[in-house]
Amino acid sequence: MSDILQIGVIGLGYWGPNLVRNFRSIEGATVAVCCDLDSRRFRSISSHYDNMEFTVSAKEVIEDPKIDAIAIATPVNTHHELAKQALQAGKSVLVEKPLSMRVEDAEELVTLADRKGLVLQVDHVFVYTPAVKQVKEIVDSGRLGSIFFIDSVRINLGLFQHDVNVIWDLAPHDLSIVDHLLGRMPRSLSAFGGVHANKGIEDVAYLNLDFGDGLIANFHVNWLSPVKVRSMIIGGSEQSLIYNDLDQSEKIKVYNRGINVMTDEQKRRFLISYRTGDIWSPNISHDEPLYLMAADFVHSIKNKRRPLADGQAGLRVVRILEAAQRSIKAQGGRVML
């Protein structure tokens, strides 16, 4: 490997050009080759960058001896095969979410990367946001107390996908956040979905995760909503937190509001009192999450360490997504994990 990490980007659709822009801005790395079946996509970005090659063949990128790492931003059903070929060729790999369409494929990629000593990272970009980093610090500090519930809403009008449903498209964002915050898998789940536009592809869905010890997490994802909402409520025994990704001034608010439960031994009943306290909103930096994610990929390769959103994190999310799909087909039947 040279001093400058040589990266190939496969896929120049919606997300690929953003990856190119960020990788080209990281010291010690560059995008040497881009690949897409449509050459017009390359022409639209090539005028902004020097010394960048183009090919319509993913195989050429994977087999190029000067390439150290490959970023894959292609349809979900191509992730496994492209990532597998890249790892077999000795390249570290960044894969757009989700890691794959099947648990066994994700497991194969994780095992392959570990065996070859390569970095496998998933583009769980939201775990790199300064806001989620702040939420993680608050949760880990114990300020919220025991976590009772998590309610997440990620809804908007479009963009409709034709290869995956709304759970596979939108839920990985919030599932990766919750996985990052809690550091453990749920013990079971149940999911419901509705089909209204494309036959056989759910465009509205509700997902319930049971983590045990009274902690449940609910996720609403939707392509049909007339308004865009990106919010998460985390309720704790001591305080609660609201993370609103669309609020540019106060993305996080911590509420000293809740209940106190006492036992009246004489009357043998529970007494509940309500408390209302201050609201605190921490200052959040405006660092670009995608840049932080791309930088983590580069530095993980150079320093031979695991990235924050490594293959294991991607595998855990795929386990939940696959189980959610089974639950939807079983009309909401609970699936053990």
Side-chain angles (χ1 to χ4, degrees):
M1 184 190 304
S2 65
D3 292 338
I4 304 298
L5 191 74
Q6 304 290 313
I7 300 172
V9 174
I10 300 177
L12 295 176
Y14 173 73
W15 203 237
N18 294 317
L19 290 172
V20 172
R21 173 175 56 83
N22 280 278
F23 279 128
R24 294 281 294 204
S25 66
I26 295 172
E27 185 177 355
T30 190
V31 175
V33 182
C34 289
C35 172
D36 197 278
L37 295 176
D38 187 348
S39 61
R40 292 173 298 180
R41 290 175 172 173
F42 178 73
R43 289 198 296 270
S44 69
I45 67 171
S46 61
S47 61
H48 302 290
Y49 309 105
D50 298 325
N51 304 318
M52 194 163 63
E53 301 173 14
F54 174 77
T55 177
V56 296
S57 171
K59 183 179 179 181
E60 287 185 12
V61 180
I62 292 170
E63 295 180 351
D64 191 331
K66 72 173 177 291
I67 297 299
D68 303 304
I70 292 177
I72 298 170
T74 57
V76 179
N77 61 2
T78 67
H79 287 181
H80 168 251
E81 189 57 34
L82 288 172
K84 180 180 177 180
Q85 291 175 16
L87 290 168
Q88 288 174 331
K91 321 291 188 184
S92 289
V93 175
L94 170 69
V95 186
E96 190 179 6
K97 59 81 184 171
L99 177 57
S100 68
M101 291 290 291
R102 300 193 308 167
V103 168
E104 62 187 76
D105 291 340
E107 289 175 333
E108 181 182 26
L109 295 177
V110 170
T111 300
L112 182 58
D114 287 345
R115 188 171 73 241
K116 286 185 166 288
L118 297 167
V119 170
L120 174 62
Q121 181 174 335
V122 186
D123 189 358
H124 289 165
V125 69
F126 275 90
V127 304
Y128 291 92
T129 61
V132 171
K133 180 181 179 182
Q134 182 73 63
V135 173
K136 174 70 170 171
E137 291 175 358
I138 293 170
V139 170
D140 288 350
S141 73
R143 181 169 185 161
L144 302 185
S146 299
I147 305 300
F148 288 162
F149 69 89
I150 299 174
D151 282 335
S152 176
V153 180
R154 185 172 294 270
I155 61 177
N156 51 259
L157 193 60
L159 298 164
F160 284 83
Q161 306 297 322
H162 301 286
D163 57 339
V164 294
N165 66 16
V166 69
I167 282 186
W168 284 86
D169 179 43
L170 297 183
H173 293 307
D174 300 303
L175 291 173
S176 65
I177 292 172
V178 171
D179 176 75
H180 178 56
L181 296 178
L182 300 181
R184 71 182 198 266
M185 285 284 289
R187 64 183 187 180
S188 68
L189 63 79
S190 177
F192 294 87
V195 179
H196 305 91
N198 294 333
K199 185 176 181 181
I201 298 180
E202 291 81 12
D203 40 41
V204 178
Y206 296 84
L207 176 60
N208 169 266
L209 306 184
D210 175 15
F211 286 88
D213 300 322
L215 171 56
I216 58 174
N218 289 291
F219 302 82
H220 175 199
V221 287
N222 190 333
W223 287 330
L224 301 179
S225 170
V227 296
K228 183 176 182 179
V229 179
R230 299 281 187 270
S231 68
M232 182 178 289
I233 303 175
I234 304 174
S237 59
E238 301 299 324
Q239 296 184 340
S240 295
L241 179 151
I242 295 180
Y243 162 42
N244 181 356
D245 191 57
L246 301 184
D247 189 332
Q248 298 304 311
S249 59
E250 296 181 327
K251 285 184 180 290
I252 298 172
K253 293 180 181 178
V254 180
Y255 292 78
N256 186 17
R257 295 177 181 177
I259 63 171
N260 296 317
V261 181
M262 300 167 288
T263 302
D264 187 332
E265 295 295 344
Q266 292 182 334
K267 297 182 179 180
R268 294 186 177 180
R269 65 176 182 174
F270 289 105
L271 300 177
I272 297 176
S273 64
Y274 298 90
R275 67 175 186 276
T276 301
D278 295 333
I279 301 173
W280 170 63
S281 182
N283 182 51
I284 305 295
S285 72
H286 296 284
D287 297 331
E288 184 175 0
L290 186 53
Y291 175 86
L292 298 175
M293 186 277 300
D296 189 28
F297 183 57
V298 171
H299 297 151
S300 295
I301 295 171
K302 290 186 171 234
N303 298 320
K304 300 185 184 303
R305 61 170 173 80
R306 285 187 177 273
L308 179 63
D310 64 2
Q312 289 287 353
L315 171 58
R316 291 192 295 271
V317 170
V318 172
R319 287 191 191 280
I320 295 172
L321 295 173
E322 188 180 90
Q325 194 65 44
R326 295 201 305 272
S327 179
I328 288 176
K329 298 307 179 186
Q331 300 298 309
R334 186 151 290 272
V335 177
M336 303 304 295
L337 291 162

